[in-house]
Amino acid sequence: MEGKEKEEDTFGIKDKIGYMFGDFGNDFTFLFASIFLMVFYTKVLGISAGIVGTLFLIVRCMDAFTDITMGRIVDRSKPSKEGRFRPWILRMCGPVAITSFFMYQVGMKNTSIGVKIVYMFVTYILWGSICYTAINIPYGSMASVLSPDADDRASLSTFRSVGAVLAQLVAGGVSIAATVCYLLCYFLTTERVKIETKSMQDSTSFSQTIKSILSNRPLLGMILAALLLLVAQIVVQSINQYLFIDYFKNKKALSIMTLSGVLPSFILAPFAVPVSRKFGKKEIGIVGSICSALSYFLLFFIHTKSVILYIGINMLGFLGMVGFNSAKAIQSQEVLDGIYNIATLLPGILYLGVALCLLFFYPLNKKQVEENISILKQKREQENIG
């Protein structure tokens, strides 16, 4: 019995695989929505791209508040014997799957346009801003309590990336598979770091939280970089449906495009921790973002008709819809060129923005991180001696 308890208290491969399944589950519904939801809303339900874009903009603004709110809820919640964060995965895995399922109801295409728009807003907000947020925020925070060791947490980040890549390969399973993955994440991980629950007197108000974020340069830099990165990924995943179907007129090439983004992740995953340890996470993030930006800028300026060349250059970039009319089977050349421009220029600008945020706002380079780790280590040694 003692041996079993000791084994559970030791961080290991079980935790890494479990944490990987968490992002695997996240991306089943998230990637499916990013890739197909715009097409479903415009081509199946017949809602204008402008209204769909307005929905996405409103929800992204809402997420800025719901993410913070969920973080405060988790922070104030009383930990159970299973930990502070893991129980949220168990509570919300079902609601995330169910709300995702309700977003794709083909039967809604026979209703009035007003009903379709209301249905679109309600189901998307319920899934994305409420249920998905309620599971994604605790999941992201859980890495900090699975192990106190920095290298262990860095390896969790790598396994999380692998989980996201796996989800891209098998996104068709969506709701049921997402639930299974969340459950695997819950049962295979163990929270080892105990965090004291903040009392109401110690907790800060929402306005104080916002003020703290705006005055915290490293945190603000990370938030801006993460937001721009998320928007860039959503833009690429959404617009690629139109780009390959309408511009390149090659649906099969879209699968190759997806695979071309997966392969670099699998190849680079084993080197992520040692490379970031040697050069620094900030430095690696800046270089990767600049590479992505340059590849998209190159695609924008050459304006190629070759799908092979487009995918080849796009692999380097992996490290209002311009007048689109969903009722038309064949788009005008002006619209097709506009789709191509959005698919290349906008991601390039966004990835460049990620690099600039990390460069100018986020001060924790490799040297600074090592100094902070050394200071914390000395403090722990002094506390142990005392």
Side-chain angles (χ1 to χ4, degrees):
M1 189 72 176
E2 291 180 0
K4 183 178 180 182
E5 290 178 356
K6 186 176 180 181
E7 181 181 346
E8 289 179 349
D9 288 336
T10 303
F11 178 86
I13 189 64
K14 189 182 79 166
D15 292 276
K16 295 177 183 180
I17 294 175
Y19 198 69
M20 177 192 74
F21 274 112
D23 214 50
F24 201 175
N26 268 346
D27 284 356
F28 267 118
T29 56
F30 182 79
L31 283 177
F32 197 84
S34 299
I35 295 171
F36 298 111
L37 200 55
M38 174 68 86
V39 176
F40 176 75
Y41 285 153
T42 57
K43 291 199 171 185
V44 177
L45 297 187
I47 301 174
S48 72
I51 296 178
V52 177
T54 301
L55 166 68
F56 291 162
L57 177 62
I58 291 174
V59 171
R60 294 291 79 79
C61 294
M62 289 180 59
D63 287 347
F65 297 96
T66 56
D67 287 357
I68 295 174
T69 301
M70 189 62 207
R72 289 168 60 83
I73 291 173
V74 174
D75 192 41
R76 291 180 176 181
S77 64
K78 185 177 181 180
S80 68
K81 64 178 182 178
E82 301 298 335
R84 182 186 298 275
F85 305 108
R86 290 172 63 237
W88 286 99
I89 295 175
L90 188 62
R91 292 169 192 151
M92 299 306 302
C93 61
V96 169
I98 293 171
T99 52
S100 175
F101 168 77
F102 278 116
M103 284 197 299
Y104 304 94
Q105 297 304 304
V106 179
M108 294 299 298
K109 69 179 181 180
N110 297 320
T111 60
S112 66
I113 188 63
V115 172
K116 291 176 184 177
I117 293 174
V118 171
Y119 154 81
M120 177 183 72
F121 270 82
V122 171
T123 55
Y124 186 75
I125 291 173
L126 188 61
W127 166 76
S129 295
I130 299 176
C131 295
Y132 184 83
T133 294
I135 200 169
N136 187 51
I137 295 299
Y139 167 72
S141 303
M142 195 171 70
S144 63
V145 297
L146 296 184
S147 173
D149 186 82
D151 285 344
D152 288 344
R153 293 195 293 270
S155 65
L156 285 173
S157 178
T158 301
F159 272 79
R160 178 176 185 173
S161 300
V162 172
V165 168
L166 290 174
Q168 294 179 37
L169 292 175
V170 287
V174 190
S175 297
I176 296 176
T179 305
V180 172
C181 290
Y182 286 133
L183 292 175
L184 286 170
C185 178
Y186 173 80
F187 286 114
L188 292 177
T189 56
T190 302
E191 294 188 17
R192 297 173 181 81
V193 182
K194 304 302 180 183
I195 301 176
E196 294 183 4
T197 304
K198 291 184 178 180
S199 64
M200 293 297 291
Q201 290 80 7
D202 295 332
S203 61
T204 57
S205 65
F206 183 79
S207 60
Q208 289 174 320
T209 301
I210 298 297
K211 184 178 179 180
S212 176
I213 292 174
L214 295 176
S215 60
N216 189 322
R217 183 182 162 192
L219 181 58
L220 183 61
M222 284 301 298
I223 290 175
L224 290 174
L227 180 61
L228 290 173
L229 180 62
L230 177 62
V231 173
Q233 292 172 339
I234 291 175
V235 167
V236 171
Q237 291 160 357
S238 300
I239 201 67
N240 276 349
Q241 293 290 322
Y242 300 97
L243 184 70
F244 282 85
I245 293 174
D246 295 302
Y247 182 84
F248 289 119
K249 296 179 173 58
N250 191 335
K251 296 180 182 179
K252 295 181 180 179
L254 182 58
S255 300
I256 300 175
M257 174 70 177
T258 302
L259 183 62
S260 71
V262 170
L263 290 177
S265 296
F266 274 118
I267 295 171
L268 295 175
F271 307 101
V273 173
V275 170
S276 63
R277 188 184 298 149
K278 182 175 181 179
F279 298 103
K281 294 181 180 179
K282 172 183 175 178
E283 290 79 359
I284 295 299
I286 291 173
V287 172
S289 299
I290 290 176
C291 287
S292 297
L294 290 177
S295 66
Y296 282 108
F297 286 143
L298 177 60
L299 286 170
F300 172 75
F301 286 113
I302 65 175
H303 207 93
T304 181
K305 289 286 187 178
S306 170
V307 69
I308 296 176
L309 179 61
Y310 186 90
I311 293 175
I313 296 177
N314 216 293
M315 286 186 69
L316 300 176
F318 194 72
L319 307 170
M321 301 297 289
V322 299
F324 185 84
N325 186 346
S326 58
K328 292 183 179 180
I330 300 177
Q331 305 298 325
S332 68
Q333 188 59 46
E334 183 180 357
V335 170
L336 296 178
D337 289 339
I339 291 173
Y340 184 95
N341 292 340
I342 286 181
T344 54
L345 181 60
L346 185 54
I349 294 173
L350 291 170
Y351 278 116
L352 181 60
V354 173
L356 293 175
C357 286
L358 292 175
L359 181 62
F360 293 109
F361 287 96
Y362 190 70
L364 299 180
N365 54 30
K366 181 175 182 291
K367 181 179 178 181
Q368 186 64 55
V369 170
E370 289 176 345
E371 290 178 358
N372 291 346
I373 292 174
S374 178
I375 293 172
L376 290 173
K377 186 177 180 181
Q378 291 176 2
K379 286 184 177 179
R380 290 195 191 100
E381 291 175 351
Q382 292 174 357
E383 290 174 356
N384 292 334
I385 294 174

